[in-house]
Amino acid sequence: MKISILTVGDEILIGQIVDTNSAWMGQQLNLTGARVVTIITVGDTMEAIHTGLREALEQADVILMTGGLGPTKDDITKKALSEYMGVDMVFHELTFQRITKMFEVWGRPMNEAHRLQCYMPANAEILTNKMGTAPGMWMEYAGKVIVSMPGVPYEMQYLMENEVLPKLRQKFQGQPIAHRTILTVGEGESHIAEKLEDFEEGLPEGFKLAYLPHIAQVRLRITGSLADEATLHRILDEKAEIIRSRFADIIYGFGTDTLEGAIGVMLKERGLKLATAESCTGGYLAHRITSVAGASDYFVGSVIAYANEVKMQVLGVSAATLDTHGAVSEQTVIEMAEGAVKVLPADIAISISGIAGPGGGSDTKPVGLAWIAVSNGQKTRTFSIRAGKDRDKNIQYFTIHALNQIRQFLKQL
C-alpha cells in the first residue's frame, strides 16, 4: 500500500507551525506495512489543493489529508475535494446533531459557521471525530482512497487510531512490519557500526539495521517484514538481544524510553535522592530530570551556581580552588558535587561547569570544554568532555553526558 500525505495550511508553509502530523502518521503507517511515498504541503487555495491532490493521486493508492476542515472561511478543503471529484456538497444531519449536542454540553451557542461545517462531499463516508467538531471523511475516487482529517494533532490521531488505520488494514492486506529500537548513549555512530558489521551481514532477508544518531546518543532500529508475524517478532527479539549483550554498558533503554526516565527508575530501585549543582547548563540538567512524571520521588532540587560567589557561598567551593584551577576544572566540580550533597537533602549530587560559548574560551580551556562530577559524599567520579562552538548544542551535549554519568555511577552502587 503506497500512501501520500497531503497537509493543507498556509501556517505550515510560512513556518508558523511545524508539521508534526506527517511524522506521526508516517510512524504509524510504517507499522501497518504501508509505504509513505510523498509528503506534500499546500496552501489554503483551491488551485493549490487541486495541484496537491493531482500529484498525490499519481503516486499513491491512498491520500491522507489534514487541515482545512474548520468553520472559518479559509477552511476550504471540503469544497476543494467536492470540486476536484465532481460531486455535490450535501448537508450531513447526523454531524449537525452531534455538534449541537457538543455545544449544549459546553454551554455555548452554535453559529452559522458551525452549521455550514456540516456540508460534506456527497461521496464521503463520515468518520466520527469524538475529539472535536470536524468529522473525518473517507472517499473513494478513481480507484483510490482519499481520507480528509482535521489538522489539530490530537483530533487527527484519534481518527487515525480509531477509524482510518482499521479501515486501511481491512481494505489493503499488507505484510506486517515491526521494529525493535535499542537506545544508546556515550558512543559514536561509527564506532557502534564498526562493531556491528558482522551482525548486519548476518541479518535474514527482509531485515535491516538503521543508525539514528542524535546529540551524544544513537538509536539502533532493527526493522523486519515477514508474512508470519510470530516468526517476525521472534527473530526481532533474538537480534535485539544480540545487540543488548554486545553493548550492555552504553544501552539505557528500548523503544520510547528516555535517559532521564531510566535514571529515575534506577534511583527509585535504590531508594536514593538526587540533586544537581549546575553552572554552564543553567538548570537544563534539572529540567530534563524533572520532565519525568513522578520525579519528586527521587529529585530534591538544584543549585544554579552560575557565579563564582554562589559556588563559594552556597556550595562551599574554596576561593583557593577557583583562583588556582578556575571555575571550569576537575577540582571545582568535585567541590561543587560534594558541597551539594551536604547542603541539599540528597544521597547523590551531580555537578557540571563548562564553557558553553560562543565566547569565553582560551587556549587551555576552549569553548566546548566541560567538567562533570558525581558524588555520594564518600565516592566521587569525574569526567571531562569536549564539544563544539554552538552554545545550544553544547548545553544539550553537556547535559546528556551528565545524565549518563549519573547512570554509570548508579550502576556501580
Side-chain angles (χ1 to χ4, degrees):
M1 172 178 32
K2 293 188 290 186
I3 307 275
S4 277
I5 296 174
L6 177 58
T7 60
V8 178
D10 291 337
E11 65 275 14
I12 299 172
L13 292 173
I14 65 174
Q16 191 174 39
I17 67 168
V18 176
D19 176 21
T20 58
N21 283 346
S22 294
W24 186 90
M25 283 193 285
Q27 293 169 358
Q28 305 308 308
L29 291 161
N30 180 261
L31 296 174
T32 70
R35 182 161 64 95
V36 177
V37 293
T38 57
I39 297 176
I40 304 166
T41 301
V42 298
D44 295 303
T45 67
M46 289 288 183
E47 182 181 2
I49 295 172
H50 288 174
T51 300
L53 278 167
R54 192 176 304 112
E55 181 180 342
L57 286 164
E58 287 175 355
Q59 301 184 60
D61 309 302
V62 178
I63 293 82
L64 299 180
M65 300 179 66
T66 61
L69 299 183
T72 56
K73 289 184 178 180
D74 62 334
D75 293 312
I76 61 170
T77 295
K78 286 183 292 186
K79 187 175 180 181
L81 280 165
S82 66
E83 288 189 5
Y84 189 88
M85 295 183 292
V87 299
D88 293 332
M89 294 280 283
V90 297
F91 187 78
H92 193 258
E93 179 63 30
L94 290 177
T95 295
F96 179 73
Q97 293 175 12
R98 183 180 63 83
I99 294 176
T100 300
K101 288 180 182 178
M102 291 175 71
F103 275 85
E104 288 174 355
V105 171
W106 296 337
R108 291 161 47 193
M110 284 182 64
N111 57 34
E112 179 64 13
H114 292 109
R115 192 185 71 81
L116 293 174
Q117 196 177 19
C118 299
Y119 280 88
M120 316 288 174
N123 63 334
E125 177 185 346
I126 303 304
L127 307 176
T128 302
N129 173 16
K130 294 184 178 180
M131 297 291 116
T133 58
M137 298 177 293
W138 175 287
M139 295 151 283
E140 300 200 9
Y141 171 77
K144 308 289 181 78
V145 172
I146 302 173
V147 180
S148 179
M149 296 172 286
V152 180
Y154 65 84
E155 294 186 31
M156 176 277 296
Q157 290 174 17
Y158 173 85
L159 283 166
M160 283 289 292
E161 290 173 343
N162 293 277
E163 298 278 358
V164 180
L165 288 174
K167 288 176 71 66
L168 289 175
R169 292 190 194 102
Q170 186 177 15
K171 186 174 181 64
F172 300 92
Q173 298 294 326
Q175 183 165 291
I177 294 175
H179 307 281
R180 294 294 182 272
T181 302
I182 302 104
L183 308 169
T184 74
V185 60
E187 187 74 83
E189 176 187 9
S190 60
H191 293 289
I192 296 173
E194 184 178 4
K195 296 173 184 177
L196 284 174
E197 188 174 347
D198 65 315
F199 174 86
E200 290 191 72
E201 291 175 353
L203 286 172
E205 185 177 349
F207 290 77
K208 63 181 179 180
L209 175 64
Y211 299 86
L212 308 168
H214 193 45
I215 296 173
Q217 298 171 277
V218 180
R219 285 184 295 156
L220 305 173
R221 188 185 64 213
I222 314 169
T223 300
S225 179
L226 284 177
D228 185 336
E229 196 163 358
T231 302
L232 168 63
H233 287 285
R234 176 180 59 78
I235 294 174
L236 285 171
D237 288 338
E238 290 173 354
K239 299 303 179 183
E241 176 57 27
I242 292 172
I243 293 180
R244 190 204 63 77
S245 64
R246 290 192 188 184
F247 298 96
D249 191 52
I250 64 171
I251 291 173
Y252 68 85
F254 302 87
T256 58
D257 292 343
T258 63
L259 182 53
E260 49 268 40
I263 291 166
V265 170
M266 296 174 76
L267 286 163
K268 285 196 286 188
E269 288 175 347
R270 292 161 175 78
L272 299 174
K273 303 288 187 179
L274 174 68
T276 69
E278 303 181 54
S279 183
C280 59
T281 48
Y284 186 63
L285 176 57
H287 163 70
R288 288 288 295 263
I289 293 166
T290 56
S291 68
V292 179
S296 58
D297 291 340
Y298 51 82
F299 184 72
V300 299
S302 179
V303 175
I304 313 302
Y306 214 69
N308 284 348
E309 291 80 3
V310 178
K311 292 180 178 71
M312 292 187 289
Q313 294 173 20
V314 178
L315 296 173
V317 177
S318 73
T321 296
L322 291 167
D323 288 342
T324 304
H325 302 286
V328 181
S329 65
E330 182 178 25
Q331 292 80 2
T332 294
V333 293
I334 289 172
E335 293 184 26
M336 288 173 66
E338 292 176 352
V341 171
K342 293 175 184 176
V343 301
L344 295 171
D347 303 297
I348 296 172
I350 182 163
S351 63
I352 181 165
S353 184
I355 306 166
S362 66
D363 290 340
T364 55
K365 293 182 179 180
V367 170
L369 171 67
W371 275 96
I372 297 167
V374 188
S375 179
N376 61 1
Q378 291 81 43
K379 174 184 176 183
T380 302
R381 172 188 176 124
T382 61
F383 182 75
S384 69
I385 51 176
R386 289 284 298 272
K389 295 184 180 295
D390 185 288
R391 183 178 182 83
D392 289 340
K393 285 188 173 64
N394 286 346
I395 290 171
Q396 293 180 60
Y397 189 78
F398 297 160
T399 297
I400 293 296
H401 276 286
L403 290 168
N404 192 39
Q405 289 306 305
I406 299 170
R407 185 183 71 90
Q408 296 284 10
F409 190 87
L410 291 170
K411 285 176 65 177
Q412 296 175 2
L413 296 182

PDB file of all heavy atoms in Angstrom, residues 386-411:
ATOM      1  N   ARG A 386      34.531  17.345  25.565  1.00  0.00           N
ATOM      2  CA  ARG A 386      34.794  18.423  24.622  1.00  0.00           C
ATOM      3  C   ARG A 386      33.693  18.430  23.569  1.00  0.00           C
ATOM      4  O   ARG A 386      33.389  17.400  22.972  1.00  0.00           O
ATOM      5  CB  ARG A 386      36.152  18.233  23.953  1.00  0.00           C
ATOM      6  CG  ARG A 386      37.336  18.466  24.860  1.00  0.00           C
ATOM      7  CD  ARG A 386      37.583  19.947  25.108  1.00  0.00           C
ATOM      8  NE  ARG A 386      37.885  20.648  23.878  1.00  0.00           N
ATOM      9  CZ  ARG A 386      39.112  20.770  23.373  1.00  0.00           C
ATOM     10  NH1 ARG A 386      40.141  20.238  24.000  1.00  0.00           N
ATOM     11  NH2 ARG A 386      39.313  21.437  22.252  1.00  0.00           N
ATOM     12  N   ALA A 387      33.099  19.573  23.353  1.00  0.00           N
ATOM     13  CA  ALA A 387      32.061  19.726  22.332  1.00  0.00           C
ATOM     14  C   ALA A 387      32.529  20.773  21.330  1.00  0.00           C
ATOM     15  O   ALA A 387      33.719  21.036  21.186  1.00  0.00           O
ATOM     16  CB  ALA A 387      30.738  20.112  22.988  1.00  0.00           C
ATOM     17  N   GLY A 388      31.578  21.407  20.634  1.00  0.00           N
ATOM     18  CA  GLY A 388      31.920  22.381  19.600  1.00  0.00           C
ATOM     19  C   GLY A 388      31.758  23.807  20.066  1.00  0.00           C
ATOM     20  O   GLY A 388      31.975  24.132  21.226  1.00  0.00           O
ATOM     21  N   LYS A 389      31.310  24.680  19.147  1.00  0.00           N
ATOM     22  CA  LYS A 389      31.202  26.106  19.460  1.00  0.00           C
ATOM     23  C   LYS A 389      29.754  26.605  19.508  1.00  0.00           C
ATOM     24  O   LYS A 389      29.510  27.760  19.825  1.00  0.00           O
ATOM     25  CB  LYS A 389      31.996  26.923  18.433  1.00  0.00           C
ATOM     26  CG  LYS A 389      33.501  26.667  18.477  1.00  0.00           C
ATOM     27  CD  LYS A 389      34.230  27.569  17.509  1.00  0.00           C
ATOM     28  CE  LYS A 389      35.736  27.311  17.554  1.00  0.00           C
ATOM     29  NZ  LYS A 389      36.311  27.663  18.855  1.00  0.00           N
ATOM     30  N   ASP A 390      28.791  25.736  19.185  1.00  0.00           N
ATOM     31  CA  ASP A 390      27.386  26.128  19.205  1.00  0.00           C
ATOM     32  C   ASP A 390      26.850  26.046  20.640  1.00  0.00           C
ATOM     33  O   ASP A 390      26.819  24.974  21.240  1.00  0.00           O
ATOM     34  CB  ASP A 390      26.567  25.206  18.279  1.00  0.00           C
ATOM     35  CG  ASP A 390      25.126  25.639  18.174  1.00  0.00           C
ATOM     36  OD1 ASP A 390      24.372  25.465  19.160  1.00  0.00           O
ATOM     37  OD2 ASP A 390      24.730  26.140  17.111  1.00  0.00           O
ATOM     38  N   ARG A 391      26.427  27.167  21.178  1.00  0.00           N
ATOM     39  CA  ARG A 391      26.042  27.230  22.587  1.00  0.00           C
ATOM     40  C   ARG A 391      24.891  26.282  22.923  1.00  0.00           C
ATOM     41  O   ARG A 391      24.971  25.508  23.888  1.00  0.00           O
ATOM     42  CB  ARG A 391      25.656  28.673  22.951  1.00  0.00           C
ATOM     43  CG  ARG A 391      25.304  28.857  24.421  1.00  0.00           C
ATOM     44  CD  ARG A 391      24.974  30.312  24.728  1.00  0.00           C
ATOM     45  NE  ARG A 391      24.680  30.497  26.141  1.00  0.00           N
ATOM     46  CZ  ARG A 391      25.606  30.665  27.078  1.00  0.00           C
ATOM     47  NH1 ARG A 391      26.877  30.656  26.747  1.00  0.00           N
ATOM     48  NH2 ARG A 391      25.257  30.836  28.347  1.00  0.00           N
ATOM     49  N   ASP A 392      23.813  26.334  22.152  1.00  0.00           N
ATOM     50  CA  ASP A 392      22.652  25.497  22.459  1.00  0.00           C
ATOM     51  C   ASP A 392      23.003  24.013  22.373  1.00  0.00           C
ATOM     52  O   ASP A 392      22.616  23.221  23.241  1.00  0.00           O
ATOM     53  CB  ASP A 392      21.496  25.813  21.514  1.00  0.00           C
ATOM     54  CG  ASP A 392      20.873  27.171  21.806  1.00  0.00           C
ATOM     55  OD1 ASP A 392      21.069  27.682  22.928  1.00  0.00           O
ATOM     56  OD2 ASP A 392      20.202  27.723  20.919  1.00  0.00           O
ATOM     57  N   LYS A 393      23.717  23.636  21.325  1.00  0.00           N
ATOM     58  CA  LYS A 393      24.101  22.224  21.189  1.00  0.00           C
ATOM     59  C   LYS A 393      25.047  21.796  22.304  1.00  0.00           C
ATOM     60  O   LYS A 393      24.972  20.668  22.795  1.00  0.00           O
ATOM     61  CB  LYS A 393      24.735  21.977  19.822  1.00  0.00           C
ATOM     62  CG  LYS A 393      23.748  21.938  18.665  1.00  0.00           C
ATOM     63  CD  LYS A 393      24.422  21.490  17.378  1.00  0.00           C
ATOM     64  CE  LYS A 393      23.401  21.285  16.265  1.00  0.00           C
ATOM     65  NZ  LYS A 393      22.728  22.528  15.889  1.00  0.00           N
ATOM     66  N   ASN A 394      25.949  22.689  22.711  1.00  0.00           N
ATOM     67  CA  ASN A 394      26.867  22.359  23.793  1.00  0.00           C
ATOM     68  C   ASN A 394      26.120  22.081  25.093  1.00  0.00           C
ATOM     69  O   ASN A 394      26.432  21.132  25.814  1.00  0.00           O
ATOM     70  CB  ASN A 394      27.876  23.496  24.011  1.00  0.00           C
ATOM     71  CG  ASN A 394      28.928  23.549  22.917  1.00  0.00           C
ATOM     72  OD1 ASN A 394      29.069  22.611  22.142  1.00  0.00           O
ATOM     73  ND2 ASN A 394      29.671  24.642  22.863  1.00  0.00           N
ATOM     74  N   ILE A 395      25.132  22.928  25.396  1.00  0.00           N
ATOM     75  CA  ILE A 395      24.357  22.725  26.629  1.00  0.00           C
ATOM     76  C   ILE A 395      23.638  21.380  26.594  1.00  0.00           C
ATOM     77  O   ILE A 395      23.615  20.640  27.586  1.00  0.00           O
ATOM     78  CB  ILE A 395      23.373  23.894  26.830  1.00  0.00           C
ATOM     79  CG1 ILE A 395      24.145  25.171  27.181  1.00  0.00           C
ATOM     80  CG2 ILE A 395      22.353  23.575  27.914  1.00  0.00           C
ATOM     81  CD1 ILE A 395      23.315  26.433  27.197  1.00  0.00           C
ATOM     82  N   GLN A 396      23.066  21.042  25.437  1.00  0.00           N
ATOM     83  CA  GLN A 396      22.410  19.736  25.315  1.00  0.00           C
ATOM     84  C   GLN A 396      23.423  18.594  25.420  1.00  0.00           C
ATOM     85  O   GLN A 396      23.161  17.583  26.084  1.00  0.00           O
ATOM     86  CB  GLN A 396      21.680  19.650  23.978  1.00  0.00           C
ATOM     87  CG  GLN A 396      20.501  20.602  23.845  1.00  0.00           C
ATOM     88  CD  GLN A 396      19.826  20.477  22.498  1.00  0.00           C
ATOM     89  OE1 GLN A 396      19.332  19.413  22.127  1.00  0.00           O
ATOM     90  NE2 GLN A 396      19.802  21.558  21.737  1.00  0.00           N
ATOM     91  N   TYR A 397      24.577  18.767  24.781  1.00  0.00           N
ATOM     92  CA  TYR A 397      25.621  17.740  24.794  1.00  0.00           C
ATOM     93  C   TYR A 397      26.144  17.522  26.218  1.00  0.00           C
ATOM     94  O   TYR A 397      26.279  16.374  26.677  1.00  0.00           O
ATOM     95  CB  TYR A 397      26.746  18.184  23.872  1.00  0.00           C
ATOM     96  CG  TYR A 397      27.813  17.145  23.608  1.00  0.00           C
ATOM     97  CD1 TYR A 397      27.603  16.111  22.706  1.00  0.00           C
ATOM     98  CD2 TYR A 397      29.054  17.223  24.242  1.00  0.00           C
ATOM     99  CE1 TYR A 397      28.593  15.170  22.447  1.00  0.00           C
ATOM    100  CE2 TYR A 397      30.044  16.289  23.996  1.00  0.00           C
ATOM    101  CZ  TYR A 397      29.805  15.272  23.092  1.00  0.00           C
ATOM    102  OH  TYR A 397      30.788  14.348  22.850  1.00  0.00           O
ATOM    103  N   PHE A 398      26.423  18.617  26.922  1.00  0.00           N
ATOM    104  CA  PHE A 398      26.874  18.505  28.308  1.00  0.00           C
ATOM    105  C   PHE A 398      25.833  17.775  29.163  1.00  0.00           C
ATOM    106  O   PHE A 398      26.170  16.930  29.997  1.00  0.00           O
ATOM    107  CB  PHE A 398      27.104  19.899  28.924  1.00  0.00           C
ATOM    108  CG  PHE A 398      28.183  20.724  28.277  1.00  0.00           C
ATOM    109  CD1 PHE A 398      28.203  22.101  28.455  1.00  0.00           C
ATOM    110  CD2 PHE A 398      29.174  20.148  27.492  1.00  0.00           C
ATOM    111  CE1 PHE A 398      29.193  22.881  27.881  1.00  0.00           C
ATOM    112  CE2 PHE A 398      30.175  20.917  26.896  1.00  0.00           C
ATOM    113  CZ  PHE A 398      30.169  22.285  27.102  1.00  0.00           C
ATOM    114  N   THR A 399      24.575  18.114  28.959  1.00  0.00           N
ATOM    115  CA  THR A 399      23.505  17.546  29.783  1.00  0.00           C
ATOM    116  C   THR A 399      23.347  16.049  29.550  1.00  0.00           C
ATOM    117  O   THR A 399      23.184  15.286  30.515  1.00  0.00           O
ATOM    118  CB  THR A 399      22.178  18.280  29.488  1.00  0.00           C
ATOM    119  OG1 THR A 399      22.322  19.658  29.853  1.00  0.00           O
ATOM    120  CG2 THR A 399      21.023  17.676  30.264  1.00  0.00           C
ATOM    121  N   ILE A 400      23.399  15.623  28.296  1.00  0.00           N
ATOM    122  CA  ILE A 400      23.286  14.194  28.013  1.00  0.00           C
ATOM    123  C   ILE A 400      24.425  13.425  28.670  1.00  0.00           C
ATOM    124  O   ILE A 400      24.224  12.368  29.284  1.00  0.00           O
ATOM    125  CB  ILE A 400      23.267  13.935  26.491  1.00  0.00           C
ATOM    126  CG1 ILE A 400      21.998  14.505  25.868  1.00  0.00           C
ATOM    127  CG2 ILE A 400      23.382  12.438  26.196  1.00  0.00           C
ATOM    128  CD1 ILE A 400      20.718  13.858  26.347  1.00  0.00           C
ATOM    129  N   HIS A 401      25.645  13.959  28.570  1.00  0.00           N
ATOM    130  CA  HIS A 401      26.780  13.285  29.194  1.00  0.00           C
ATOM    131  C   HIS A 401      26.649  13.289  30.723  1.00  0.00           C
ATOM    132  O   HIS A 401      27.035  12.318  31.389  1.00  0.00           O
ATOM    133  CB  HIS A 401      28.087  13.930  28.764  1.00  0.00           C
ATOM    134  CG  HIS A 401      28.592  13.413  27.449  1.00  0.00           C
ATOM    135  ND1 HIS A 401      29.156  12.166  27.313  1.00  0.00           N
ATOM    136  CD2 HIS A 401      28.577  13.954  26.209  1.00  0.00           C
ATOM    137  CE1 HIS A 401      29.501  11.961  26.056  1.00  0.00           C
ATOM    138  NE2 HIS A 401      29.151  13.030  25.358  1.00  0.00           N
ATOM    139  N   ALA A 402      26.110  14.361  31.278  1.00  0.00           N
ATOM    140  CA  ALA A 402      25.902  14.401  32.725  1.00  0.00           C
ATOM    141  C   ALA A 402      24.890  13.336  33.157  1.00  0.00           C
ATOM    142  O   ALA A 402      25.104  12.618  34.139  1.00  0.00           O
ATOM    143  CB  ALA A 402      25.430  15.793  33.147  1.00  0.00           C
ATOM    144  N   LEU A 403      23.805  13.230  32.431  1.00  0.00           N
ATOM    145  CA  LEU A 403      22.816  12.185  32.736  1.00  0.00           C
ATOM    146  C   LEU A 403      23.451  10.798  32.653  1.00  0.00           C
ATOM    147  O   LEU A 403      23.191   9.926  33.490  1.00  0.00           O
ATOM    148  CB  LEU A 403      21.638  12.289  31.764  1.00  0.00           C
ATOM    149  CG  LEU A 403      20.715  13.505  31.937  1.00  0.00           C
ATOM    150  CD1 LEU A 403      19.779  13.632  30.732  1.00  0.00           C
ATOM    151  CD2 LEU A 403      19.907  13.390  33.218  1.00  0.00           C
ATOM    152  N   ASN A 404      24.276  10.614  31.649  1.00  0.00           N
ATOM    153  CA  ASN A 404      24.929   9.309  31.501  1.00  0.00           C
ATOM    154  C   ASN A 404      25.898   9.028  32.648  1.00  0.00           C
ATOM    155  O   ASN A 404      26.042   7.881  33.086  1.00  0.00           O
ATOM    156  CB  ASN A 404      25.674   9.234  30.169  1.00  0.00           C
ATOM    157  CG  ASN A 404      26.120   7.818  29.852  1.00  0.00           C
ATOM    158  OD1 ASN A 404      25.395   6.853  30.103  1.00  0.00           O
ATOM    159  ND2 ASN A 404      27.311   7.669  29.306  1.00  0.00           N
ATOM    160  N   GLN A 405      26.550  10.075  33.165  1.00  0.00           N
ATOM    161  CA  GLN A 405      27.442   9.873  34.304  1.00  0.00           C
ATOM    162  C   GLN A 405      26.674   9.480  35.563  1.00  0.00           C
ATOM    163  O   GLN A 405      27.152   8.676  36.369  1.00  0.00           O
ATOM    164  CB  GLN A 405      28.273  11.140  34.555  1.00  0.00           C
ATOM    165  CG  GLN A 405      29.332  11.398  33.498  1.00  0.00           C
ATOM    166  CD  GLN A 405      30.250  10.200  33.301  1.00  0.00           C
ATOM    167  OE1 GLN A 405      30.854   9.702  34.260  1.00  0.00           O
ATOM    168  NE2 GLN A 405      30.362   9.721  32.076  1.00  0.00           N
ATOM    169  N   ILE A 406      25.473  10.029  35.724  1.00  0.00           N
ATOM    170  CA  ILE A 406      24.622   9.585  36.843  1.00  0.00           C
ATOM    171  C   ILE A 406      24.306   8.098  36.676  1.00  0.00           C
ATOM    172  O   ILE A 406      24.403   7.308  37.622  1.00  0.00           O
ATOM    173  CB  ILE A 406      23.315  10.397  36.892  1.00  0.00           C
ATOM    174  CG1 ILE A 406      23.596  11.881  37.097  1.00  0.00           C
ATOM    175  CG2 ILE A 406      22.408   9.873  38.015  1.00  0.00           C
ATOM    176  CD1 ILE A 406      22.386  12.774  36.913  1.00  0.00           C
ATOM    177  N   ARG A 407      23.931   7.711  35.455  1.00  0.00           N
ATOM    178  CA  ARG A 407      23.605   6.299  35.177  1.00  0.00           C
ATOM    179  C   ARG A 407      24.790   5.395  35.481  1.00  0.00           C
ATOM    180  O   ARG A 407      24.642   4.354  36.135  1.00  0.00           O
ATOM    181  CB  ARG A 407      23.175   6.163  33.715  1.00  0.00           C
ATOM    182  CG  ARG A 407      22.690   4.775  33.322  1.00  0.00           C
ATOM    183  CD  ARG A 407      22.351   4.741  31.830  1.00  0.00           C
ATOM    184  NE  ARG A 407      23.546   4.796  31.006  1.00  0.00           N
ATOM    185  CZ  ARG A 407      24.225   3.721  30.593  1.00  0.00           C
ATOM    186  NH1 ARG A 407      23.830   2.506  30.946  1.00  0.00           N
ATOM    187  NH2 ARG A 407      25.297   3.867  29.836  1.00  0.00           N
ATOM    188  N   GLN A 408      25.965   5.786  35.029  1.00  0.00           N
ATOM    189  CA  GLN A 408      27.156   4.961  35.251  1.00  0.00           C
ATOM    190  C   GLN A 408      27.489   4.866  36.742  1.00  0.00           C
ATOM    191  O   GLN A 408      27.889   3.813  37.235  1.00  0.00           O
ATOM    192  CB  GLN A 408      28.342   5.558  34.478  1.00  0.00           C
ATOM    193  CG  GLN A 408      28.186   5.552  32.971  1.00  0.00           C
ATOM    194  CD  GLN A 408      28.394   4.175  32.352  1.00  0.00           C
ATOM    195  OE1 GLN A 408      28.485   3.173  33.053  1.00  0.00           O
ATOM    196  NE2 GLN A 408      28.465   4.127  31.041  1.00  0.00           N
ATOM    197  N   PHE A 409      27.334   5.967  37.449  1.00  0.00           N
ATOM    198  CA  PHE A 409      27.614   5.986  38.885  1.00  0.00           C
ATOM    199  C   PHE A 409      26.656   5.046  39.630  1.00  0.00           C
ATOM    200  O   PHE A 409      27.077   4.276  40.502  1.00  0.00           O
ATOM    201  CB  PHE A 409      27.470   7.414  39.416  1.00  0.00           C
ATOM    202  CG  PHE A 409      27.964   7.622  40.818  1.00  0.00           C
ATOM    203  CD1 PHE A 409      29.290   7.922  41.061  1.00  0.00           C
ATOM    204  CD2 PHE A 409      27.094   7.519  41.894  1.00  0.00           C
ATOM    205  CE1 PHE A 409      29.747   8.126  42.370  1.00  0.00           C
ATOM    206  CE2 PHE A 409      27.530   7.701  43.195  1.00  0.00           C
ATOM    207  CZ  PHE A 409      28.873   8.014  43.427  1.00  0.00           C
ATOM    208  N   LEU A 410      25.382   5.106  39.273  1.00  0.00           N
ATOM    209  CA  LEU A 410      24.381   4.258  39.937  1.00  0.00           C
ATOM    210  C   LEU A 410      24.618   2.782  39.651  1.00  0.00           C
ATOM    211  O   LEU A 410      24.351   1.933  40.511  1.00  0.00           O
ATOM    212  CB  LEU A 410      22.969   4.679  39.482  1.00  0.00           C
ATOM    213  CG  LEU A 410      22.475   6.035  39.970  1.00  0.00           C
ATOM    214  CD1 LEU A 410      21.182   6.428  39.261  1.00  0.00           C
ATOM    215  CD2 LEU A 410      22.256   6.022  41.487  1.00  0.00           C
ATOM    216  N   LYS A 411      25.090   2.463  38.458  1.00  0.00           N
ATOM    217  CA  LYS A 411      25.361   1.065  38.123  1.00  0.00           C
ATOM    218  C   LYS A 411      26.417   0.455  39.022  1.00  0.00           C
ATOM    219  O   LYS A 411      26.428  -0.764  39.245  1.00  0.00           O
ATOM    220  CB  LYS A 411      25.804   0.943  36.656  1.00  0.00           C
ATOM    221  CG  LYS A 411      24.677   1.088  35.647  1.00  0.00           C
ATOM    222  CD  LYS A 411      25.210   1.048  34.233  1.00  0.00           C
ATOM    223  CE  LYS A 411      25.826  -0.290  33.887  1.00  0.00           C
ATOM    224  NZ  LYS A 411      26.287  -0.354  32.471  1.00  0.00           N
TER     225      LYS A 411
END
